[in-house]
Amino acid sequence: MQIVGAIWIGFMLDNKYIASRRTRGVVSVAAVAIIVIAGWIGITVWLYNNPMDPLNPPLFDWTDGPFGGFFVLNLIFGINSVIYQVTVQWVISSFTNDPEKLARLAGLVKGVLAGGVAAAFGTEAAGLTQLNVVAYNFSVQAVGLVLTAVIASTCVTATNYMKEENVIPPSDAQTSGDLEKSDSQS
């Protein structure tokens, strides 16, 4: 499902039918938010109907009732993990074309994402109920989505070419002024 999610979100973020890079970013963040929210609502309902104790996990197999919902939720969260990360990385990478800056930003993004995963494991270790763990994790991801949407709608520009001294634009690159005009018109 991660492959499917990566292909789908890549199509959304690089869609040639949406001329404005900012619009592609905002539309993609909105699409990711729908899938993320659906997944968290689904896991909340599933856990409410099938309470789990992490120290004494239920033993069920694919022929038992709860398995179908659990399986679908695993697929949704497989998509969730990749589309969320790719979208955040795309938005952050729109800030610069300078390889040095991009490397630093990519490291920052991966560090923050890893910190979020570590905190999620910490909620499990703290002995919270599964529904409280879900509430915490959804809250963290929701805040991240809101921040990503704000950044995509305010900071993503048509291009960074011609704005950075250390970046050599491709020969067919338009000037940033031309692209900003076309970006504001779409």
Side-chain angles (χ1 to χ4, degrees), residues 5 17 28 35 45 50 71-72 75 78 98 102 107 109 111 115 118 122 125 135-136 146 149 165 167 181:
Y17 298 108
S28 297
I35 292 171
V45 169
N50 304 286
F71 182 75
V72 169
L75 297 178
D98 185 341
L102 281 172
V109 168
Y136 170 79
V146 169
E165 287 183 27
V167 176
K181 287 178 198 170

Side-chain angles (χ1 to χ4, degrees), residues 87-99:
T87 303
V88 169
Q89 290 170 342
W90 184 91
V91 169
I92 297 299
S93 70
S94 71
F95 293 170
T96 183
N97 292 333
D98 185 341

Side-chain angles (χ1 to χ4, degrees), residues 46-47 50-58 60 70 128-131:
W46 190 89
L47 281 170
N50 304 286
M52 292 181 66
D53 177 5
L55 301 176
N56 189 17
F60 57 82
F70 186 74
L128 297 175
T129 68
Q130 290 299 295
L131 287 172

